[in-house]
Amino acid sequence: MRDNITVTKMTAEYAQLVPTWIYEGIYSLYNHDEDFIGECMDGNHFAFTGQDGELLGYFCFGAEARIPAIEAGAYDDGFLDIGLHIKPDLCGKKLGSLFLGTCLEYAASEYCTTRFRATIADFNKRSQALFINLGFHKEKEVTHAATNGKFVVVKRGEQPSL
């Protein structure tokens, strides 16, 4: 399937599809409203598309991939933050490594870095395992300033702290 995935800048057409994606149960945290359409046209959002041009997922870089954390100094300098979202009906189908690997290759090429960071909901063990399997390590836990939800910050590109 790797040859069938293309990365492109997020378009308004693709952005309009994302709020129609419905994640169930605790994963509803990842549902977006109509505000997403304008927010993702900032040049830091990219679409994964299939051979037929179907939107399969998207990823973003920078501050958009972070949460507003209660903890001071939650995000140190020197890492490219990434956020990864896969279409709900593709979740749990063992495609995460393909999507994350493609995202990391794109980021390394376009941003000339191998130092990455992601913030993942604490309950999302599936996503945490994906990142850890691709060389990330758990750095710390942080708390969302608005919801008090717990999140895990994972990093790749430096030795784990002791």
Side-chain angles (χ1 to χ4, degrees):
M1 184 173 186
R2 183 175 207 93
D3 295 336
N4 298 333
I5 290 181
T6 302
V7 172
T8 184
K9 286 266 191 190
M10 182 63 77
T11 66
E13 178 184 343
Y14 289 139
Q16 290 173 6
L17 296 174
V18 174
T20 69
W21 294 355
I22 305 299
Y23 296 91
E24 301 292 335
I26 58 175
Y27 294 98
S28 66
L29 167 74
Y30 300 112
N31 292 340
H32 290 289
D33 60 21
E34 297 297 318
D35 291 340
F36 173 81
I37 298 168
E39 293 169 6
C40 74
M41 300 307 298
D42 61 0
N44 291 319
H45 286 75
F46 302 86
F48 292 116
T49 60
Q51 254 183 333
D52 58 358
E54 175 188 8
L55 181 64
L56 304 175
Y58 73 92
F59 57 96
C60 62
F61 299 121
E64 295 85 358
R66 300 178 187 169
I67 64 161
I70 290 173
E71 296 79 9
Y75 297 103
D76 54 339
D77 293 335
F79 288 85
L80 180 63
D81 289 284
I82 59 173
L84 177 69
H85 298 264
I86 300 172
K87 192 174 176 181
D89 63 345
L90 296 177
C91 292
K93 301 208 187 279
K94 307 281 185 204
L95 297 171
S97 293
L98 171 63
F99 285 106
L100 180 55
T102 301
C103 172
L104 294 172
E105 287 174 12
Y106 184 85
S109 171
E110 294 297 313
Y111 293 85
C112 298
T113 187
T114 58
R115 296 169 51 99
F116 304 108
R117 177 175 47 215
T119 305
I120 306 167
D122 185 61
F123 67 79
N124 195 344
K125 303 302 183 197
R126 184 172 60 191
S127 183
Q128 290 177 42
L130 167 65
F131 278 80
I132 289 168
N133 286 339
L134 287 184
F136 285 74
H137 67 273
K138 182 177 174 180
E139 173 74 9
K140 64 180 110 180
E141 294 181 3
V142 294
T143 308
H144 195 289
T147 67
N148 284 325
K150 300 295 180 191
F151 286 76
V152 174
V153 176
V154 297
K155 289 182 175 179
R156 182 171 117 171
E158 74 174 10
Q159 293 299 317
S161 57
L162 300 177

